[in-house]
Amino acid sequence: MQRGARWNYSAWVPEDGRNSMTYNKLLAASALAIVAGTSAASADTWRYAFEEAMDEVQGKFAQKFKEEIEANSDHQVQLFPFGTLGESSDIMEQAQSGILQFVDQSPGFTGALIPEAQVFFVPYLLPQDEGELVSFFKNSKAINELFPPLYAEQGLELLTMFPEGEVMMTTTGPVKGPEDLNEVKFRVMTNPLLVESYKSFGATPTPLPWGEVYGALQTGIIQGQENPAFFIESTKMYEVTDHITRLGHNNFTTAVMANLDFYDGLEEDDQNLIDDAIDVAFDYITAYQDGLTEKSLEKIKEAKTSITITTLTEEERAPFMATAQDVEAEFLDIGGDQAQEILDQMKADLNAAAGAEG
């Protein structure tokens, strides 16, 4: 999945269905000029960009983090929602270069930098049970021990990963099995494993920047996309699709990172301050999401009574689940030097989470 700000897309997409890219580039350039113009000596102002709007999950996490930092120190945190500094690739470059101190970005995009992070797109790997899911993200050795050195190689300090909700398909036609996705152009992030996953589902995966998705659906360039319910509701993807399908195949994952040189250069007290604020924000955001999916689906149904929301049965999911082994094998082929170790450890962590909840 992913990603974008909570724009009213029906208002911002021109009549020809294309994004106003010139406007977006000018907006991003102006915002970046403001950021770059901030004095480097003002070390007590930390800049944090993310891939969603302020009132979406990443925005809520960022606000809680900001609240904790500012309540327990003299530091200030400046927040940049999606679109204010460009697309996902732009904010990652800014974080790596030190223009930004913090960035929140899905492994769907960092997979190009860190191939092992694509493991989060192996279908049916993560559990649907919310308690197991939270326990896994909080206690996983793969996340807390194996991934940080891989992020460090890219100039990033991995602070945490957290789930954002069950991923659902929104399509212009109904989906009950892989045959219904035949020749369907389905928007995916620019992630090789996600492309492979949707190929195995029967679709024609079509990588697109998030800013182009609404217009592409509106004009029929693509016929589907995937995201959690809150994001489908807030970005109004239901306006340009007619069916929401719950395959139970994944939960959207995101990662909060700091610029490594920035983090390593801090006094221990400030590092502890950041780590503590991350822990508080993690607990807050997992509690915040309790019931969020169903509330979002209710809002969608109220806004568009004609939309269908279908949860596939175990029998209907079976042919989709059967593709997981092939996608897993593809991950081991393209997922980097530590792909096998990461996958094995994640499975052990998931078993431990299931046992803890059981």
Side-chain angles (χ1 to χ4, degrees):
M1 123 186 169
Q2 197 117 351
R3 264 344 313 176
R6 192 173 186 265
W7 304 108
N8 179 346
Y9 282 97
S10 55
W12 283 93
V13 177
E15 291 182 1
D16 66 358
R18 295 171 296 174
N19 275 349
S20 179
M21 297 305 292
T22 300
Y23 175 82
N24 290 341
K25 287 180 183 294
L26 286 172
L27 183 65
S30 298
L32 186 56
I34 293 171
V35 173
T38 303
S39 171
S42 183
D44 61 343
T45 299
W46 297 341
R47 296 178 288 273
Y48 180 146
F50 45 97
E51 295 180 309
E52 296 170 6
M54 291 289 272
D55 58 354
E56 292 169 345
V57 171
Q58 290 183 18
K60 293 290 187 180
F61 183 100
Q63 289 177 76
K64 176 57 70 171
F65 175 80
K66 171 184 169 73
E67 177 185 308
E68 288 297 309
I69 293 293
E70 294 181 353
N72 293 289
S73 73
D74 293 330
H75 300 303
Q76 301 293 311
V77 179
Q78 190 175 11
L79 301 180
F80 295 90
F82 178 86
T84 53
L85 297 179
E87 286 277 357
S88 296
S89 59
D90 299 313
I91 61 174
M92 175 53 73
E93 289 173 4
Q94 292 159 30
Q96 288 178 297
S97 68
I99 294 173
L100 295 171
Q101 282 72 50
F102 302 97
V103 65
D104 187 340
Q105 188 164 96
S106 162
F109 288 109
T110 53
L113 295 172
I114 306 164
E116 289 87 350
Q118 296 179 83
V119 71
F120 291 99
F121 294 93
V122 175
Y124 299 100
L125 179 62
L126 296 180
Q128 291 183 268
D129 182 87
E130 293 297 322
E132 288 182 26
L133 194 68
V134 172
S135 177
F136 163 72
F137 275 94
K138 197 165 192 175
N139 302 306
S140 168
K141 290 182 180 179
I143 291 174
N144 295 314
E145 297 178 18
L146 298 184
F147 272 116
L150 297 175
Y151 278 75
E153 289 175 4
Q154 302 301 325
L156 300 164
E157 175 75 17
L158 178 62
L159 299 174
T160 192
M161 290 184 176
F162 62 89
E164 290 197 56
E166 175 193 347
V167 174
M168 304 174 190
M169 291 182 180
T170 65
T171 51
T172 54
V175 176
K176 283 297 188 77
E179 65 277 3
D180 296 320
L181 290 172
N182 185 37
E183 297 186 0
V184 170
K185 292 181 180 177
F186 201 97
R187 182 267 174 174
V188 296
M189 290 181 285
T190 52
N191 180 292
L193 201 69
L194 192 56
V195 169
E196 184 64 28
S197 181
Y198 269 92
K199 279 183 182 178
S200 67
F201 282 174
T204 302
T206 307
L208 279 178
W210 177 252
E212 299 177 22
V213 176
Y214 188 101
L217 285 166
Q218 191 175 45
T219 57
I221 294 172
I222 58 174
Q223 294 83 45
Q225 64 90 40
E226 65 163 28
N227 262 301
F230 82 87
F231 200 73
I232 295 168
E233 186 270 324
S234 64
T235 58
K236 302 186 184 299
M237 286 294 113
Y238 59 83
E239 292 182 344
V240 286
T241 49
D242 299 309
H243 303 274
I244 296 175
T245 308
R246 303 175 74 169
L247 278 69
H249 65 298
N250 213 342
N251 196 293
F252 189 78
T253 297
T254 194
V256 182
M257 299 152 273
N259 173 276
L260 184 62
D261 289 341
F262 157 75
Y263 185 85
D264 284 349
L266 294 172
E267 298 291 337
E268 185 177 354
D269 285 349
D270 276 342
Q271 290 182 349
N272 291 336
L273 171 74
I274 290 169
D275 295 344
D276 290 345
I278 287 289
D279 289 344
V280 170
F282 180 95
D283 290 340
Y284 164 80
I285 206 61
T286 52
Y288 169 80
Q289 292 181 69
D290 185 28
L292 182 61
T293 291
E294 298 307 324
K295 290 175 186 175
S296 299
L297 291 175
E298 288 173 8
K299 289 180 182 178
I300 291 169
K301 192 67 178 175
E302 288 173 4
K304 186 174 182 177
T305 56
S306 63
I307 199 160
T308 67
I309 302 173
T310 304
T311 300
L312 297 190
T313 66
E314 289 302 310
E315 184 178 356
E316 290 168 332
R317 289 180 180 184
F320 290 105
M321 295 179 73
T323 69
Q325 190 171 355
D326 288 341
V327 179
E328 184 177 300
E330 180 69 13
F331 167 70
L332 293 176
D333 188 47
I334 68 173
D337 295 339
Q338 290 182 250
Q340 186 71 65
E341 183 183 8
I342 292 283
L343 182 62
D344 290 346
Q345 185 60 59
M346 278 189 65
K347 288 182 176 180
D349 295 339
L350 289 163
N351 286 335
E357 286 302 303

